[in-house]
Amino acid sequence: MQEKDLGADLRSVLITKQEIDARLAELAAKIDAGYEGKDLLLVGVLKGAVMVMADLARALATPVTMDWMAISSYGAGTQSSGVVRILKDLDTDIKDKHVLIVEDIIDSGLTLSWLLSNLGSREPASLEIMTLLRKPEAAKVDIDVKWVGFDIPSEFVVGYGLDYGEKYRNLPFIGTLAPHVYGG
Ligand code: PRP
């Protein structure tokens, strides 16, 4: 799916595919340096992190394994509540492993805050976070994020894994939608 396929639904392109690729290459080099000589397990959070996980993993020189979690927050609409339940747990035991959580976006931070405490209790050797996007103005909890792709304004974004009503995940860029899409 490309910009032209969105037609009038697209308001603006916030981050292009080229910008995402360049930033992921920079972060991959830093992550490689951070895990030199270590085995690394990437944990992706479904579904939004699928694209960033796929591209980051391929940009890394470090040999990695990958696992996935599906979690659901009990919350109304587009806001996460911080009350989380596991829909699909990891297949692997992460005890004594170096774990890097790969996220598409940190909004309030409530989801990751819960995930950090859940995975932390499984006694990994290390536990860090990489997120493609972060909305600093929306933060409700303070989270120590080691690698951030882009800090963005607090507006609703889609594409590159991020959805609105499950659509737009297969856009190669991050964009904002026209008000009429939301019924405005
Ligand atoms: C998104 C994103 C994070 C969470 C961030 O997932 O992938 O997991 O919201 O929000 P927070 O910082 O306010 O907690 P979402 O619940 O939209 O699920 P999805 O990835 O399947 O689209």
Side-chain angles (χ1 to χ4, degrees), residues 46-48 80 103-111 163 169:
L46 295 169
K47 305 170 194 163
S80 93
E103 260 290 22
D104 51 334
I105 190 164
I106 301 177
D107 202 315
S108 67
L110 293 170
T111 305
D163 73 306
R169 292 193 199 272

Side-chain angles (χ1 to χ4, degrees), residues 70-87:
I71 53 186
S72 160
S73 58
Y74 295 102
T78 55
Q79 297 255 306
S80 93
S81 63
V83 182
V84 173
R85 82 194 147 106
I86 297 176
L87 302 177

Side-chain angles (χ1 to χ4, degrees), residues 104-106 131-136 143 145 148 150-153:
D104 51 334
I105 190 164
I106 301 177
T131 185
L132 180 70
L133 306 174
R134 180 175 62 180
K135 292 181 179 172
I143 294 179
V145 185
V148 179
F150 303 91
D151 278 327
I152 59 168

Side-chain angles (χ1 to χ4, degrees), residues 127-146:
L127 182 60
E128 301 290 354
I129 300 162
M130 179 272 164
T131 185
L132 180 70
L133 306 174
R134 180 175 62 180
K135 292 181 179 172
E137 292 153 22
K140 287 191 181 149
V141 281
D142 209 17
I143 294 179
D144 190 14
V145 185
K146 192 143 186 185

